[in-house]
Amino acid sequence: MSLLSFPCTYMRGGTSRALIFNEDDLPKDRAQWDEIFLSALGSPDTYGRQLNGMGGGISSLSKVAILKPSSRDDADVDYTFAQVSVTEKKVDYKGNCGNISSAVGPYAVFKKWVLPSSSEAHVRIYNTNTQKVTHAYFPVKNGEVVFTGDLEIPGVSGTGAPIRLEFQDPGGATTGKLLPTHKTRDILKLSNGKSLEVSMIDAANACVFLKASDLGLRGDESTAELDQPELLKSFESIRLEASVAMGIAASIDEAKKSIAIPYLGLVAPRYSPDMDFSLRVIASGQPHKALPLTVSLCAAVTAKLPGSLIHETLENKNLDEVRIGMPSGVLTLNAKVEERNSQYVALSGSFYRTARILFEGRVFV
């Protein structure tokens, strides 16, 4: 029996890595995609290491991007994101990944789908998961992507060329509403009879934010401190209840089908003068070693919503840029929010990443 393989490019984007496929190289029947992606990354793995595939044993290294030239007037590339569970036989297409978004523009130029006419490439990316458009800007020379540069981002060793990502109209990426419950703060009732104060916001990806102190946590914990069975069980219970409250799922059982959305963020006051607040994120059931960028963008938007838990945490509530403390350093973002007719509108959000092509060839499944 001949081995089954597919053309593939392996790239780092920000603090994540992904297998990148040209959609035309995959089966037309999308029902076949899950098995391909699971096998390629080595999931499910009860040992949590994905040794039998290309995954790295954590959510940020267990990702897939499916790309194709876009036929839309407002985009150059169509981008579908797949989050592959490390330990379960699940592939989640509900959300976007901001880190991997930073690899999409360079990939499009690398493949000659986009031909830059100046020293800066501008690639418009349509994310099919959220139906939102992101603009990517990055340096090129003689039509080729420049990956080397001086930008250092928290969580990645070394430096690279800056890739500026601008998310256009990020509100309602998952639910269609920036405020799925029409409030910046809610009381979430849990299955154990307790209640928690939360902010459930949907910008770039749906997120539920809560005070770390309400769970008896400091807010500056390392990933190892948060990676405890009882804590993870508690986080997952909150995430599932928030999914129903936000209208993402109709029931807890349905909410369990998504391994990532909504993301859960633990908010705390800053513990260093170089940040505005602290954030720890649970992504696909695991404490994230840095920050998912879409969650960071959602947090930056939330920081500009009066009444939200993040806005309440800020010492300076009139920030332009927002500096978020995380396990691997500080991430700075810019988010633009306006109030129109007594409703808040997220206009855009932007940040810088770096990316790198690691190899191109065929991945065996």
Side-chain angles (χ1 to χ4, degrees), residues 13-320:
T15 55
S16 294
R17 288 201 309 253
L19 296 175
I20 299 183
F21 294 92
N22 182 336
E23 186 173 319
D24 289 342
D25 292 327
L26 292 171
K28 299 297 182 185
D29 181 7
R30 293 196 174 198
Q32 298 180 42
W33 286 11
D34 284 13
E35 289 294 339
I36 293 169
F37 302 157
L38 286 162
S39 178
L41 284 166
S43 296
D45 185 347
T46 55
Y47 298 100
R49 301 179 67 189
Q50 293 178 308
L51 282 177
N52 212 29
M54 295 302 301
I58 56 177
S59 62
S60 58
L61 306 180
S62 187
K63 300 183 176 186
V64 171
I66 306 99
L67 309 181
K68 69 175 182 179
S70 182
S71 59
R72 295 172 58 93
D73 292 336
D74 61 349
D76 303 301
V77 184
D78 286 350
Y79 156 47
T80 300
F81 172 67
Q83 178 68 61
V84 179
S85 173
V86 173
T87 58
E88 298 181 83
K89 194 175 182 179
K90 290 183 179 179
V91 181
D92 195 340
Y93 300 91
K94 282 189 178 294
N96 186 11
C97 175
N99 277 296
I100 296 305
S101 296
S102 67
V104 175
Y107 178 92
V109 172
F110 176 69
K111 290 293 185 179
K112 306 300 183 185
W113 293 353
V114 176
L115 302 175
S117 57
S118 68
S119 60
E120 181 180 66
H122 175 203
V123 180
R124 302 167 302 164
I125 303 162
Y126 174 70
N127 177 245
T128 67
N129 309 72
T130 60
Q131 300 178 2
K132 296 290 185 177
V133 174
T134 302
H135 291 197
Y137 303 86
F138 50 92
V140 293
K141 186 175 182 179
N142 299 323
E144 301 289 339
V145 181
V146 176
F147 286 104
T148 57
D150 298 325
L151 178 63
E152 182 177 0
I153 61 174
V156 179
S157 297
T159 61
I163 300 169
R164 179 164 58 94
L165 291 177
E166 289 187 356
F167 281 68
Q168 311 297 309
D169 183 29
T174 303
T175 65
K177 302 174 183 177
L178 174 64
L179 303 177
T181 66
H182 306 288
K183 300 176 183 178
T184 59
R185 190 185 306 198
D186 287 273
I187 300 297
L188 186 67
K189 295 181 179 180
L190 306 180
S191 57
N192 61 8
K194 296 182 179 180
S195 297
L196 276 177
E197 215 173 24
V198 298
S199 288
M200 295 181 284
I201 313 297
D202 182 5
N205 259 331
C207 300
V208 52
F209 298 108
L210 59 145
K211 294 179 183 178
S213 59
D214 284 348
L215 294 181
L217 299 170
R218 304 184 308 275
D220 63 351
E221 283 83 359
S222 66
T223 54
E225 289 177 282
L226 295 176
D227 196 9
Q228 306 298 324
E230 285 304 311
L231 270 180
L232 295 179
K233 183 178 179 181
S234 177
F235 297 151
E236 182 64 3
S237 176
I238 296 168
R239 189 186 74 85
L240 295 176
E241 293 289 353
S243 179
V244 176
M246 297 174 81
I248 298 169
S251 66
I252 295 297
D253 285 341
E254 183 181 332
K256 290 178 180 178
K257 295 178 182 179
S258 173
I259 61 176
I261 307 299
Y263 287 88
L264 184 144
L266 302 168
V267 180
R270 66 181 187 176
Y271 51 86
S272 171
D274 62 349
M275 64 182 68
D276 298 306
F277 65 95
S278 167
L279 185 64
R280 298 295 186 266
V281 170
I282 309 303
S284 301
Q286 297 176 317
H288 203 284
K289 293 182 182 296
L291 281 183
L293 275 184
T294 49
V295 180
S296 305
L297 179 54
C298 189
V301 169
T302 305
K304 301 195 174 186
L305 297 175
S308 73
L309 294 182
I310 295 180
H311 187 267
E312 178 189 78
T313 302
L314 300 175
E315 295 178 14
N316 178 4
K317 301 189 188 310
N318 297 303
L319 297 170
D320 184 14

